[in-house]
Amino acid sequence: MPDLFSPLVAGDLSLTNRIVMAPLTRTRAGADGVPTDVMVEHYAQRAGVGLIVSEGTFPSAAGKGFDGQPGLVTAPQLAGWRRVTDAVHAEGGLIVAQVMHAGRATHPDITGLPVEAPSALAIDGETRAAGTKVAYPAPRALDTDELPGIVEVFVRGSQNAVDAGFDGVELHAANGYLLHEFLGATSNVRTDAYGGTPENRIRFVVEVVQAVVAQLGAGRVGIRISPERNIQGLIEDDPADVEAVYGGLMDALAPLRLAFVSVLHPEPAGALVQGLRSRFGGAFLVNTGFADATTRDEAVALMADSLADAVVVGRAVIANPDLVRRWRDGLEENELDFSTLYADGAIGYTDYPTHDQAQEQARVAS
């Protein structure tokens, strides 16, 4: 029976262990979307996990979701990511880019462009642009004949990621962003072939995945979903609809033989998640942490109970660059400083010590 510290082959990706670094928004990129020096150091520090999934990266200017987000569009952005991927590979790690179009979860003050979404339905809430809270605007509903161009945006962004040295991509169809918006009945009220029934609402996501697979090969492509996440105005509270949408999505993706599916859900042992795993049939990553952080004991139990092929971890990886060693050897962990999650620079980002560094600091202090 594989445990958390055994290797895993997921498509073309060969993981040395089954701890996966979650895609973590940290807003450390420059205003131009170019990865910075501290990002290079941060990702390289965490190369000991089996797989790093980058923070969400925008594949088009209109897809940028927030200030401080890195992109996969311009030559300087790709050159910046090449520095990151080279540093991770030099430490023996694997890293895939999370390709994320924000959809309606952005603002013209962030992108300089009209907001794109499946339907002209605004999120009831606020975001931040240039340090100021602003209400989400009503987005522009994409026309049917525009959708092939948005598919191409994902293809181009994914190819750019591989050109920048990433080992593959994770397509972001979770947390209320564009791909997820097509899946949701409360965010997609289209009357064309991309709206209405569950079969129609999964259509755009399937077309994006198929196109990226055709470009990169299935072994380099994964997808992230978050059924019943209920975030950013996208509410999935009809169990029958959730089952139809996500079950249908898994049925459509299974023949493609993707590298993995990553599921964010608080009940990985439940019938919904395990049913999706059975229908997908490939490497299945689970991420339980959002309201509560994933602990070592929980991650070990998920593997011991055969509920996943790998466990996606966020907060513990932020605070512990050597998390694999700490969890393998049962060592004490650093505590996460929530106040620095979205700060600038190195503080709360690259200054968390390894276990040995913490021991030495304690020795010197005494």
Side-chain angles (χ1 to χ4, degrees):
M1 182 72 66
D3 63 20
L4 196 59
F5 308 105
S6 60
L8 170 68
V9 174
D12 293 346
L13 307 173
S14 295
L15 286 63
T16 57
N17 60 73
R18 298 177 186 232
I19 300 173
V20 175
M21 176 173 160
L24 297 162
T25 298
R26 303 302 303 281
T27 65
R28 258 62 173 200
D32 53 5
V34 174
T36 52
D37 290 345
V38 289
M39 290 175 63
V40 175
E41 182 179 2
H42 172 77
Y43 281 108
Q45 286 175 337
R46 288 153 181 80
V49 298
L51 176 67
I52 294 172
V53 182
S54 84
E55 61 209 278
T57 57
F58 57 88
S60 69
K64 183 178 180 180
F66 38 83
D67 295 329
Q69 183 184 15
L72 282 167
V73 182
T74 69
Q77 289 165 3
L78 302 189
W81 277 121
R82 170 60 76 171
R83 295 174 59 223
V84 171
T85 59
D86 283 351
V88 169
H89 292 151
E91 296 295 328
L94 285 175
I95 181 168
V96 298
Q98 187 186 66
V99 183
M100 169 196 146
H101 189 304
R104 65 178 182 168
T106 188
H107 194 281
D109 290 351
I110 295 170
T111 66
L113 295 166
V115 176
E116 302 173 336
S119 301
L121 301 172
I123 297 172
D124 182 13
E126 296 178 321
T127 187
R128 297 188 70 86
T132 302
K133 287 186 177 181
V134 291
Y136 284 110
R140 181 181 68 82
L142 291 161
D143 291 336
T144 306
D145 60 6
E146 292 181 278
L147 296 183
I150 304 299
V151 172
E152 181 55 31
V153 161
F154 279 94
V155 172
R156 186 168 59 247
S158 298
Q159 182 62 59
N160 285 346
V162 171
D163 291 345
F166 283 99
D167 298 294
V169 298
E170 176 183 272
L171 299 173
H172 195 353
N175 294 354
Y177 296 114
L178 183 69
L179 295 183
H180 194 189
E181 290 164 14
F182 273 90
L183 299 176
T186 60
S187 52
N188 180 352
V189 294
R190 300 175 72 93
T191 57
D192 63 1
Y194 294 88
T197 65
E199 293 79 9
N200 282 355
R201 281 184 276 133
I202 72 172
R203 189 184 310 277
F204 182 69
V205 176
V206 173
E207 289 180 355
V208 168
V209 177
Q210 289 173 332
V212 174
V213 164
Q215 182 72 22
L216 302 185
R220 287 183 161 192
V221 180
I223 187 171
R224 184 169 176 84
I225 58 174
S226 60
E228 301 178 322
R229 178 74 181 89
N230 298 339
I231 190 172
Q232 300 194 129
L234 202 166
I235 307 302
E236 296 173 319
D237 57 2
D238 179 344
D241 187 71
V242 169
E243 169 72 22
V245 168
Y246 288 96
L249 181 62
M250 292 301 100
D251 291 345
L253 298 183
L256 300 179
R257 303 182 67 83
L258 301 182
F260 63 86
V261 164
S262 180
V263 180
L264 175 61
H265 197 280
E267 298 179 3
L272 172 64
V273 174
Q274 290 304 307
L276 298 180
R277 183 186 187 192
S278 176
R279 291 167 81 157
F280 176 63
F284 198 78
L285 286 49
V286 300
N287 186 180
T288 62
F290 208 97
D292 297 304
T294 302
T295 66
R296 178 191 185 278
D297 288 348
E298 181 182 9
V300 168
L302 285 168
M303 291 301 305
D305 294 341
S306 299
L307 295 175
D309 296 298
V311 180
V312 183
V313 182
R315 276 165 275 190
V317 178
I318 291 174
N320 299 277
D322 57 341
L323 184 70
V324 175
R325 181 193 172 198
R326 290 179 191 250
W327 278 11
R328 179 184 287 122
D329 297 342
L331 302 176
E332 184 179 358
E333 297 176 38
N334 298 323
E335 291 189 12
L336 178 66
D337 182 354
F338 285 89
S339 70
T340 60
L341 283 178
Y342 308 113
D344 294 327
I347 297 174
Y349 193 60
T350 57
D351 60 349
Y352 284 106
T354 65
H355 180 265
D356 289 349
Q357 289 168 340
Q359 293 288 99
E360 178 62 16
Q361 291 169 4
R363 185 191 67 77
V364 171
S366 64

